[in-house]
Every structure is written in structure tokens, then in C-alpha cells.
Amino acid sequence: MSVDVGQGDQELPPARRGGPLSGVRVLELAGLAPGPFAGMMLADHGAEVLRIDRVASVAAAGDTPRQDVMDRGKRTIGLDLKSPEGVAAFKELAATADVVIEVFRPGVAERLGIGPEDLHAVNPRLVYGRMTGWGQDGPLAHTAGHDIDYIAVAGVLSMLGRAGEPPTPPINILGDFAGGGLMLAYGVLLALFERERTGRGTVIDAAMVDGAATLFAMFYHSAQTGLWGPRGTNLLDTGAPFYDTYETADGGHVAVGSLEPPFWAALVAGTGLTDLPSRADPANWPRIRERLTEVFRTRTRDEWQQVFDGTDACVSPVLTIAEAPHHPHNEARGTFTEIDGVLQPTPSPRLKDAPKAPLTPATRLHDLTGWGLDDTRAKALRDAGVLA
């Protein structure tokens, strides 16, 4: 699927966006990746997301559509939130909005005059979503941090990696995106649902350290009951040779997840290793790993894919990001799409029979009348350098 769009004058009215969140208006204050990711999740399903960026950034970029995947489906303006006029304009926008996404350190929004109390004074139904690493309170609330710090303090990082090696951070996916952006988008939906009952908006405190801990709920329980041991010694963390990755003859890799007995039998049949010792005894795991390492190096990754295609061995090729969109399964499901020349994942999850929002690159929003700022007001703000 390829979508071609022109400049910012080809804007889609909210009523035509489609999707289950059609009609929901979101103001997204520009920030690092987790905030835009939450906005993307909402825009993907029909929300009208207006990204508030810096005036200088918007002026420099002009009307060129933004190719950043996490900004797809959004519109952008620049607003000087350090000026009284810019703050007043933001409040006017918030008066017509359903949701605000804010990613500043605790207290910054209040100092600017756009904190929850400031905006609820003009729109009591507003859902105010706040996302930080450490949360709005606690000893670390005002301390700098990154994904690696949040998952470390959550206890998550200690569980990631191989036995005998230091913990391995899994890029910045667990804290920033899963524990932060995705949890904030989920919180927005909860708050909108609650608003239907109460008629009032609320404040969401989405902390990445909390979100990362929630994602590992099962493992906290397992560790306390003795079902989960030290890092790299368990069934699902490379401790078991039948749940790991192996190098192939061409330098590629295959992923092996042959946990259940029938799947293990299919793996044994495919590799021809019928004389392996019993895997029921962990003492045999090193020898089994040795044999699997040897046999997988005898063929290329694609040759092993042919061996296991159509079986339940749970052996898959480890594809690169460039290769994944072209895998037959992903092609059949439309897991990836191309928008204005940029290949990217399609929205997830899918709702059967629900209308879909169009996927377009982010463009500038030139007409703010629908957001409560008429042409005269907008021109005055532009002339003052407050609005771009």
C-alpha cells in the first residue's frame, strides 16, 4: 500500500478520519519518542492528533510532510509556550480538546501555566496524560534518567541476558515504548471510558518504571515462588537450549522455541539429532546446546527455513528489519505498509469491521478555526512570532 500526499493544504477533517477513536481530539506536546509513540497509537485508530512543536522547528521545516513514522496521521503547529500569548492560545486549543499528552519533568507544565489545574479550569472534561520516567512523585521524580535506568530500578534489567554475563538492555523498548508510550495510550482509553461515567476528565500519571514493572508481573511472582532462577538459567531466558538462537552457515541465525514435547520432536526430526540425551535433565542442556550449535552451522538460514517450513518445530529465521516486510506471512497479513516512500509497520491491534483511519505523513495545520482559533486570532499570533 502506498499513500501519496501533497502539502499541508490537503488536510483531512476529523469527521472523515474514520477509526474507533474518530472524533477524539488530542493535543500532543512535542517530546522524545515515547510521547509521539502514544500519539501515534491514538492517531492510528482515528484520533485527531495536533502536535505542538517549537516555533523555530516548524518555521524551519515549512510545509514538507514529516516522514517520522511516529508522527504519521498527525498535524503540527509551532507555539511559543514561554510567552503569555502562546500559553493563552494553548488554553484555547485545550478548551476544544479531549486529551493532552505532556512529557515534561514534574512541575514544568505548572510553571508554564498549562498544568492540569490550569487546563481543567477551561475544560473540566479534559484527559491530561502525563508521562515521565520516574512518575510525578517519589524520591527520583525530579531526577534525569533513561530507559536503562527505569528498567534497572524496576528489577527488569536484572533478568535480561545470559548466565555469567552482565545484564543486557534490550534497546529502549521496555521502558520507553512498552512501559511508557503504550501504557500512556492505554491510560488515555481508560480515562476516556471513565469520563463517560463521570462527565469529568482526569490526570494520568504514566511512569516508565511502573509500566516496566507491570509488564514483568508474571516473573515477579515466579521469582518469589522459586519457579524462576538467576538470569540466563531458565526456560525462556536462553537457559534452555530449546529456547535460544543459533548461528547458521552463512552467518545468519535461527530462533528455536521448541518448548513442548511435540515441538521438540519436530525439531529433532528436522535436525536429525535422534541420539540427543534427555532434555528433561538440565544437566544435559550444555551437551544438547553443543550439538544444536554444530548442526545449525551446517546449513544456511534460508536452508533451515525450508527444512522447518510447515512444521510445528517452532524454528524461525531471525530476519533483519529490512527483510521482515518481505516475509510471506507479513506480506499476506499486510503487517507492513509504505507511506510516501517510507516502509513501516501497520497499526495494531486490528478491530474486525471497524473503519480504518487513513495513514499519511504528518503535515502542517494551517487552519485552526476547527480548534477554536479563528483566522484573525491566528494571524495576530503569527505576526507576533508566537505561532508557526
Side-chain angles (χ1 to χ4, degrees), residues 29 90 98-104 108-110 114-120 125-131 184 188 191 201-205:
L29 290 160
F90 186 79
D98 295 288
V99 180
V100 164
I101 291 177
E102 179 255 289
V103 292
F104 304 144
V108 171
E110 283 81 357
I114 57 171
E117 290 187 8
D118 302 304
L119 300 190
H120 280 150
R125 289 175 54 82
L126 185 71
V127 170
Y128 196 106
R130 319 191 81 164
M131 181 169 56
L184 177 57
V188 166
T202 189
V203 181
I204 303 164
D205 180 1

Side-chain angles (χ1 to χ4, degrees), residues 118-249:
D118 302 304
L119 300 190
H120 280 150
V122 299
N123 184 356
R125 289 175 54 82
L126 185 71
V127 170
Y128 196 106
R130 319 191 81 164
M131 181 169 56
T132 56
W134 302 117
Q136 296 299 311
D137 52 34
L140 296 176
H142 295 274
T143 306
H146 281 294
D147 179 289
I148 193 170
D149 304 299
Y150 311 138
I151 66 173
V153 172
V156 169
L157 183 55
S158 70
M159 306 176 76
L160 307 177
R162 295 185 178 275
E165 297 182 8
T168 303
I171 317 183
N172 62 323
I173 194 72
L174 283 177
D176 283 356
F177 291 96
L182 192 57
M183 288 293 185
L184 177 57
Y186 174 55
V188 166
L189 300 183
L190 293 177
L192 289 173
F193 187 78
E194 178 67 6
R195 189 179 72 175
E196 292 302 303
R197 299 175 180 175
T198 67
R200 299 188 306 275
T202 189
V203 181
I204 303 164
D205 180 1
M208 296 175 198
V209 64
D210 298 347
T214 299
L215 291 168
F216 272 62
M218 181 186 84
F219 300 99
Y220 286 103
H221 175 261
S222 299
Q224 292 175 62
T225 55
L227 296 175
W228 196 266
R231 176 175 63 255
T233 64
N234 305 279
L235 279 178
L236 304 177
D237 64 355
T238 73
F242 39 87
Y243 199 89
D244 205 346
T245 58
Y246 291 91
E247 187 177 5
T248 55

